[in-house]
Amino acid sequence: MSTAKYLVTGGAGYIGGVVAAHLLEAGHRVTVLDDLSTGFREGVPGGADFIEGRVQDAARYLDASYDGVLHFAAFSQVGESVVDPEKYWVNNVGGTMALLAAMRGAGVRRLVFSSTAATYGEPVSTPLTETDPTAPTSPYGASKLAVDHMITGEAAAHGLAAASLRYFNVAGAYGRHGERHDPESHLIPLVLQVALGRRPSISVYGDDYPTPDGTCVRDYIHVADLAEAHLLAMDAITPGEHLICNLGNGNGFSVREVIETVREVTGHPVPEVLAARRGGDPAVLVASAATARDRLGWKPSRPELADIVADAWDFARAVGAERGA
Ligand SMILES: NC(=O)c1ccc[n+]([C@@H]2O[C@H](COP(=O)([O-])OP(=O)(O)OC[C@H]3O[C@@H](n4cnc5c(N)ncnc54)[C@H](O)[C@@H]3O)[C@@H](O)[C@H]2O)c1
């Protein structure tokens, strides 16, 4: 595609920041809209315009000069969504409703949305395909599924060109953009915090699952591969169609494999503590990447866990150094 102008909501966060950086590198113009509720001002890549504001107020900022929107702004802590579900409906669903109305009003008719594997819930088969049943087990997953349904309706009724990309476990880092959730709940950054000496040990929640080593298996995708899929999706979408597409490696790694890889990459001991299973953790969550390959022409170029962990480690050390750790 020739040079275009995009609004990136949530572009001060982890994934939105990496995608914004890729868009800029591809020669596009980028405006980041982010309220910094979980993101960081320094996460906005140089070269992007920045609006500190809420997606709920998108109508104030969107106009016909934009060619499309990439929508990352959301709350995404599964556990928090269980204890505070309304926070998720208000921000994730309410925010996207306002965004869709603003896009309609401004005549901006291209959207790529961050959906999630959490829309499926307990998998009925593996690897998961986009036609598998959706039965989310958390308000977070339910809020993202509700948005997917909203986008399907918007495409059918009003001709929006849209894609929902259902990410599995996003990991790794891209330059100065890496994972920094607070509280951190994602496995790779948590294990790296142990390697850095900032946590005493890593908890392994159950080792009696029906998997090769008994621990849960997840599909990890490098954030830079994920970013490339967004640029391809923006080009692949067509008016009136809502493309739903899983983004994963199609390959699973167990919790113990992740811990072992962190030990190898960092050279640090990582003590582990066996804990009880957590409710709602499926044994295996692996994506079928066939739709992404066929519809987007996408293939991950960094599928090795060691490469993903190595990039995340560089980022974790840089952040540790900033904080004087
Ligand atoms: N990280 C993963 O593994 C993963 C997996 C599946 C889906 N996702 C989805 O990807 C997206 C990005 O996730 P992330 O890990 O980068 O999270 P993040 O918290 O780093 O980024 C989200 C950004 O959105 C901003 N934001 C939230 N609500 C807003 C609002 N109402 N208005 C303006 N800005 C707002 C936050 O300040 C933050 O900068 C989310 O939608 C998440 O649900 C992430």
Side-chain angles (χ1 to χ4, degrees):
M1 192 192 238
S2 53
T3 301
K5 180 178 172 186
Y6 294 117
L7 183 73
V8 177
T9 77
Y14 169 46
I15 300 171
V18 175
V19 174
H22 277 74
L23 289 166
L24 290 164
E25 282 163 26
H28 300 303
R29 290 167 61 198
V30 172
T31 302
V32 165
L33 172 63
D34 197 303
D35 66 2
L36 304 182
S37 51
T38 61
F40 304 87
R41 177 65 184 88
E42 64 272 22
V44 178
D49 291 329
F50 177 60
I51 299 169
E52 184 173 345
R54 302 182 76 211
V55 166
Q56 283 80 346
D57 299 322
R60 280 194 212 157
Y61 314 116
L62 258 186
D63 60 41
S65 69
Y66 286 93
D67 296 291
V69 175
L70 297 102
H71 179 34
F72 301 90
F75 293 143
S76 59
Q77 300 274 354
V78 172
E80 181 188 60
S81 79
V82 174
V83 295
D84 198 356
E86 57 281 11
K87 180 173 175 183
Y88 281 71
W89 294 110
V90 167
N91 201 43
N92 296 0
V93 178
T96 310
M97 254 168 82
L99 178 66
L100 288 177
M103 290 178 68
R104 216 181 301 131
V108 180
R109 302 282 69 202
R110 303 181 78 77
L111 173 70
V112 175
F113 168 63
S114 301
S115 188
T116 167
T119 53
Y120 295 111
E122 265 306 317
V124 291
S125 62
T126 189
L128 272 158
T129 68
E130 294 81 357
T131 52
D132 281 348
T134 43
T137 53
S138 68
Y140 165 63
S143 72
K144 288 282 176 169
L145 182 61
V147 171
D148 281 348
H149 288 313
M150 234 156 52
I151 294 172
T152 302
E154 184 78 19
H158 304 300
L160 184 72
S164 285
L165 302 181
R166 289 191 173 155
Y167 315 158
F168 282 60
N169 289 62
V170 187
Y174 186 68
R176 59 192 187 83
H177 303 279
E179 262 183 291
R180 262 203 279 183
H181 299 115
D182 186 18
E184 189 53 74
S185 57
H186 293 191
L187 181 63
I188 292 177
L190 282 173
V191 186
L192 291 173
Q193 287 181 5
V194 180
L196 276 172
R198 295 219 298 268
R199 274 173 195 271
S201 59
I202 187 76
S203 297
V204 175
Y205 295 103
D207 68 352
D208 55 354
Y209 285 93
T211 58
D213 66 14
T215 64
C216 288
V217 169
R218 295 291 179 268
D219 185 325
Y220 294 90
I221 173 175
H222 195 294
V223 67
D225 282 335
L226 187 89
E228 279 158 19
H230 287 72
L231 275 70
L232 293 168
M234 193 46 99
D235 285 351
I237 52 180
T238 56
E241 189 201 12
H242 179 204
L243 171 65
I244 295 184
C245 193
N246 289 342
L247 285 184
N249 261 325
N251 238 333
F253 298 101
S254 74
V255 171
R256 285 236 160 88
E257 282 177 293
V258 170
I259 296 171
E260 197 45 49
T261 304
V262 168
R263 290 185 182 122
E264 282 162 18
V265 167
T266 67
H268 287 274
V270 176
E272 53 179 82
V273 173
L274 184 61
R277 284 183 179 201
R278 291 183 301 195
D281 265 349
V284 178
L285 257 188
V286 172
S288 161
T291 304
R293 188 189 55 227
D294 297 346
R295 288 294 310 271
L296 309 183
W298 175 81
K299 190 169 155 287
S301 56
R302 306 158 187 83
E304 299 301 329
L305 186 58
D307 295 337
I308 295 174
V309 168
D311 287 350
W313 176 233
D314 287 345
F315 175 77
R317 275 189 305 181
V319 171
E322 267 171 34
R323 291 178 181 164

